[in-house]
């Protein structure tokens, strides 16, 4: 059974840093691209970043490029999102999600989410 | 970035009704369009991928169609557990984008 478990969400102040983790199990982690997707409470879904199975390719939304860094440790089956210079508009539930197969593909499994609150 | 526009934004329907939600893209996606269902407090769940392929375990009353810029999600006979918010998502190019969502409510 595929499981994705996010952690690391917290209440922080504007300008702070935070690292989210997503522990994966139930599939060959290194074979699949992974994404982070966020959702402001009561609002829609907003894709944040993706990383290939090897970790060699990454993409970011314009809103986070230069502030957030996605990475993965395939030996630990864990995905990360390093978030720096946090802003109030980064407040959201952050989900990690598994790609179906190819480097570009839809997201077939999602974690339960971790809440990041950025307060001034 | 590719923009996705869903319609309607909300719809009221009854158990047993047939419901159709549309998603229009600002440029061609080929068939790189998915549909997700989200219930309050839960993560999104993949229903349909590559426009018309049914994700494993999803009931056959859900179907998807379309290609290029116009896509539809159809629920053939609504069940009580189908009342939720539905999102389309494109994976044709980065950045991935989602539609704004369609809230399906009980009439």
């Amino acid at each position: 059974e595929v499981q994705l478990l996010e952690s690391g969400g917290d209440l922080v102040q504007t300008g702070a840093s935070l690292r989210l983790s997503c522990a994966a199990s139930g599939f060959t982690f290194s074979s699949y691209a992974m994404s982070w997707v966020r959702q402001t409470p009561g609002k829609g879904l907003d894709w944040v970043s993706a990383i290939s199975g090897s970790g060699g390719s990454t993409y970011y939304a314009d809103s986070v490029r230069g502030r957030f860094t996605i990475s993965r440790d395939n030996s630990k089956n864990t995905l990360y999102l390093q978030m720096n210079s946090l802003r109030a508009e980064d407040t959201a539930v952050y989900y990690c999600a598994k790609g179906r197969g190819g480097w570009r593909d839809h997201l077939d499994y999602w974690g339960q989410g971790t809440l990041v609150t950025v307060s001034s | 970035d590719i923009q996705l526009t869903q319609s309607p934004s909300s719809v009221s329907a009854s158990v047993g009704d047939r419901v159709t939600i549309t998603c229009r893209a600002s440029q061609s996606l080929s068939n790189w369009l998915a549909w997700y269902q989200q219930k309050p407090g839960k993560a999104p769940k993949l229903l349909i991928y590559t426009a018309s392929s049914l994700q494993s375990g999803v009931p056959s009353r859900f179907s998807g169609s379309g290609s290029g810029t116009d896509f539809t999600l159809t629920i053939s006979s609504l069940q009580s557990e189908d009342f939720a918010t539905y999102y389309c998502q494109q994976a044709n190019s980065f950045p991935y984008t989602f539609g704004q969502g369609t809230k399906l409510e009980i009439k």
Side-chain angles (χ1 to χ4, degrees):
Chain A
E1 179 191 6
V2 172
Q3 291 193 347
L4 299 170
L5 184 62
E6 302 97 334
S7 60
D10 203 351
L11 169 62
V12 297
Q13 291 195 324
T14 303
S17 296
L18 203 58
R19 188 176 83 158
L20 306 183
S21 299
C22 172
S25 61
F27 63 103
T28 304
F29 183 67
S30 60
S31 295
Y32 294 90
M34 299 291 294
S35 282
W36 287 99
V37 178
R38 66 186 179 184
Q39 185 170 36
T40 302
K43 298 292 180 64
L45 300 167
D46 184 25
W47 175 82
V48 173
S49 182
I51 187 168
S52 62
S54 67
S57 296
T58 57
Y59 276 93
Y60 298 92
D62 287 346
S63 57
V64 306
R65 186 178 293 113
R67 299 188 299 123
F68 289 11
T69 302
I70 191 171
S71 62
R72 63 194 298 161
D73 185 336
N74 287 341
S75 69
K76 296 182 178 179
N77 289 351
T78 303
L79 175 72
Y80 302 101
L81 186 67
Q82 178 67 43
M83 303 186 294
N84 298 331
S85 303
L86 282 162
R87 306 167 179 169
E89 55 265 35
D90 296 318
T91 294
V93 174
Y94 284 74
Y95 295 101
C96 67
K98 170 186 168 291
R100 284 190 59 252
W103 167 215
R104 281 186 298 111
D105 209 335
H106 301 304
L107 306 172
D108 59 357
Y109 290 92
W110 297 58
Q112 86 293 343
T114 188
L115 178 62
V116 173
T117 304
V118 184
S119 173
S120 55
Chain B
D1 298 0
I2 297 175
Q3 309 301 316
L4 298 180
T5 303
Q6 288 181 232
S7 61
S9 295
S10 65
V11 57
S12 296
S14 301
V15 171
D17 284 354
R18 179 184 181 91
V19 171
T20 297
I21 299 168
T22 67
C23 179
R24 176 164 288 177
S26 59
Q27 63 189 75
S28 178
L29 306 179
S30 181
N31 66 343
W32 286 104
L33 192 284
W35 292 95
Y36 299 86
Q37 176 193 69
Q38 187 178 34
K39 296 181 179 179
K42 300 295 186 181
K45 172 187 175 183
L46 179 64
L47 301 175
I48 301 289
Y49 60 93
T50 54
S52 59
S53 298
L54 191 68
Q55 173 69 357
S56 176
V58 174
S60 59
R61 62 181 180 273
F62 291 92
S63 63
S65 64
S67 65
T69 61
D70 293 300
F71 302 86
T72 60
L73 172 70
T74 299
I75 310 171
S76 60
S77 180
L78 274 173
Q79 302 300 302
S80 57
E81 60 267 31
D82 300 337
F83 292 95
T85 300
Y86 293 83
Y87 295 93
C88 57
Q89 178 245 338
Q90 66 84 16
N92 182 73
S93 62
F94 289 109
Y96 291 164
T97 46
F98 291 87
Q100 82 279 13
T102 295
K103 187 172 185 179
L104 176 52
E105 299 175 302
I106 301 173
K107 183 183 288 184

